[in-house]
Amino acid sequence: MSYSEVKFDKDAVFLVTGGAGFIGSNLVEALLRMGHKVRCLDNLSTGKQENVDMFMDDPNYTFIKGDITDLDTCMKACEGVDYVMNEAAWGSVPRSIEMPLYYEKVNIGGTLNMMEAARQNHVKKFVYASSSSVYGDHPVLPKKEGQEGNLLSPYALTKRVDEEYGKLYYKLYGLDTYGLRYFNVFGRRQDPNGAYAAVIPKFIKQLLDGETPTINGDGKQSRDFTYIENVIEGNLKACLASHEAGGQAYNIAAGGREYLIDMYHKITTALGKDVEPNFGPDRAGDIKHSNADISKAAEFLGYHPEYDFECGIKEAIDWYRENL
Ligand SMILES: NC(=O)c1ccc[n+]([C@@H]2O[C@H](COP(=O)([O-])OP(=O)(O)OC[C@H]3O[C@@H](n4cnc5c(N)ncnc54)[C@H](O)[C@@H]3O)[C@@H](O)[C@H]2O)c1
């Protein structure tokens, strides 16, 4: 997006938690480009130092190695901060099914610490990462805020609890909270490695390495794959939203729908590879279809995503070709 259309006070200070991760490091980069002071709080558990190394020489950038499960750390990090973008969390539905207690501690306890620290430090806006997983098994498409079903994983539960705290902190304490329900984000710096890697970077890397990717299920499941630039736009617009738009959650997606098998073939075509995928079993906790109605974010946040899947995947592939 054109960041010139988004204007904050010249002296605005931002705190990005999880800033050494995929989404967080892209937010840090965008904010530094806009000339703002940016603090990055990260414990480097799933994030990487190399995601933020390039910011080290920028005088507007501060890195705090710390954990959001520690309230003192959150309090210090929030001192003098105007806007918080809370991205720190553990992702992955399957991993949360294996270790629910840890997800509770980080994704709920850590986010609550950050909300409390933001409240006590009179932060103007608290924008936090929620997830499309809060829709659970609700069958209706497109997914619309207010139509949530039964949850399918501890991960989804943590995000729903975060949203409830977001509502409460708005009502009880007047903290402007905005929960952003991201839908399958992809783009530069998303980790392609490990058992819990997201499907797009994983497939791109496997194909570049000459391996044959495996699709879980029949490939006929669909997702609203969302390019990172749209997520940056959602965060910036939420920071500028009115008080009346606070205390709520918003779908942040491209508003499209891509079948996994089609996504796979678009990647192989872009890479010039003629490789058919293997098919494996369905993954526990996964939903069959996901596609977002983004009209609420359009109306209340002025969110109008510029990247559809095709534009985004082209940029992402170019980045992986140069950086893997
Ligand atoms: N990537 C997606 O498609 C997607 C979809 C929906 C929601 N989300 C949410 O967006 C946020 C960012 O996700 P991401 O894909 O960039 O993941 P990521 O793993 O790349 O980034 C998360 C970052 O948080 C840090 N972190 C984890 N626990 C921490 C703790 N206790 N204290 C401090 N830092 C900690 C990690 O080191 C990492 O840098 C998460 O809240 C995630 O649940 C992501």
Side-chain angles (χ1 to χ4, degrees):
M1 75 179 283
S2 159
Y3 301 123
S4 55
E5 70 183 71
V6 182
K7 291 261 184 288
F8 295 95
D9 286 351
K10 190 169 63 57
D11 300 326
V13 179
F14 289 80
L15 168 63
V16 181
T17 74
F22 158 48
I23 295 175
S25 67
N26 278 287
L27 293 171
V28 170
E29 184 177 26
L31 292 164
L32 288 173
R33 269 206 197 133
M34 293 166 75
H36 295 298
K37 291 198 166 48
V38 186
R39 276 178 219 166
C40 165
L41 168 61
D42 201 299
N43 69 354
L44 298 178
S45 52
T46 59
K48 290 188 228 138
Q49 186 65 49
E50 70 196 57
N51 284 343
V52 286
D53 274 344
M54 66 277 206
F55 312 135
M56 288 299 178
D57 293 335
D58 190 324
N60 281 336
Y61 175 72
T62 310
F63 181 72
I64 306 166
K65 183 160 190 275
D67 202 303
I68 60 165
T69 60
D70 179 57
L71 181 59
D72 281 349
T73 301
C74 300
M75 288 292 289
K76 281 190 197 109
C78 281
E79 273 171 25
V81 165
D82 298 295
Y83 302 94
V84 171
M85 295 174 177
N86 187 56
E87 307 301 314
W90 270 39
S92 171
V93 161
R95 184 167 52 191
S96 78
I97 294 172
E98 285 166 27
M99 43 194 304
L101 298 186
Y102 194 74
Y103 275 71
E104 156 93 24
K105 187 174 168 202
V106 176
N107 293 13
I108 299 178
T111 298
L112 181 56
N113 280 343
M114 280 304 306
M115 259 184 226
E116 179 59 18
R119 169 176 94 88
Q120 291 196 32
N121 282 281
H122 309 291
V123 161
K124 288 184 185 140
K125 305 278 179 190
F126 186 89
V127 180
Y128 62 97
S130 182
S131 159
S132 59
S133 63
V134 298
Y135 288 103
D137 65 359
H138 199 289
V140 169
L141 289 176
K143 308 284 180 198
K144 197 162 172 48
E145 299 89 341
Q147 298 181 330
E148 293 84 13
N150 298 307
L151 298 173
L152 299 173
S153 68
Y155 173 73
L157 177 62
T158 66
K159 295 297 184 181
R160 182 164 302 165
V161 174
D162 288 348
E163 289 188 359
E164 291 300 323
Y165 273 120
K167 265 195 243 171
L168 268 183
Y169 266 65
Y170 176 77
K171 281 206 186 106
L172 295 176
Y173 310 118
L175 177 68
D176 285 0
T177 62
Y178 305 84
L180 304 186
R181 294 180 177 175
Y182 303 150
F183 281 64
N184 295 82
V185 189
F186 69 97
R188 56 191 172 265
R189 292 198 286 279
Q190 189 172 29
D191 195 346
N193 299 307
Y196 303 108
V199 65
I200 289 181
K202 185 163 134 183
F203 284 3
I204 294 174
K205 180 169 192 310
Q206 287 175 327
L207 287 161
L208 286 173
D209 289 349
E211 294 168 15
T212 304
T214 298
I215 294 180
N216 292 113
D218 58 7
K220 290 182 186 143
Q221 57 275 55
S222 64
R223 295 288 181 267
D224 195 336
F225 290 110
T226 305
Y227 189 52
I228 185 65
E229 284 292 322
N230 297 333
V231 170
I232 296 171
E233 178 188 341
N235 276 271
L236 295 175
K237 297 273 175 77
C239 285
L240 290 170
S242 67
H243 172 69
E244 288 65 38
Q248 298 186 55
Y250 297 91
N251 289 344
I252 294 296
R257 189 172 165 197
E258 201 69 35
Y259 289 91
L260 250 69
I261 190 67
D262 295 340
M263 175 275 282
Y264 177 85
H265 284 125
K266 284 179 186 174
I267 293 177
T268 51
T269 305
L271 289 172
K273 304 268 180 185
D274 186 14
V275 181
E276 284 307 309
N278 297 320
F279 291 91
D282 284 320
R283 283 192 334 181
D286 267 355
I287 49 171
K288 186 80 182 169
H289 298 293
S290 184
N291 156 231
D293 178 329
I294 52 174
S295 58
K296 185 179 172 190
E299 185 180 347
F300 293 97
L301 307 181
Y303 168 73
H304 301 290
E306 287 179 7
Y307 280 76
D308 61 13
F309 178 74
E310 276 72 20
C311 299
I313 198 70
K314 191 177 165 309
E315 281 195 10
I317 286 177
D318 287 347
W319 187 87
Y320 282 107
R321 270 190 206 275
E322 280 172 30
N323 292 279
L324 279 186

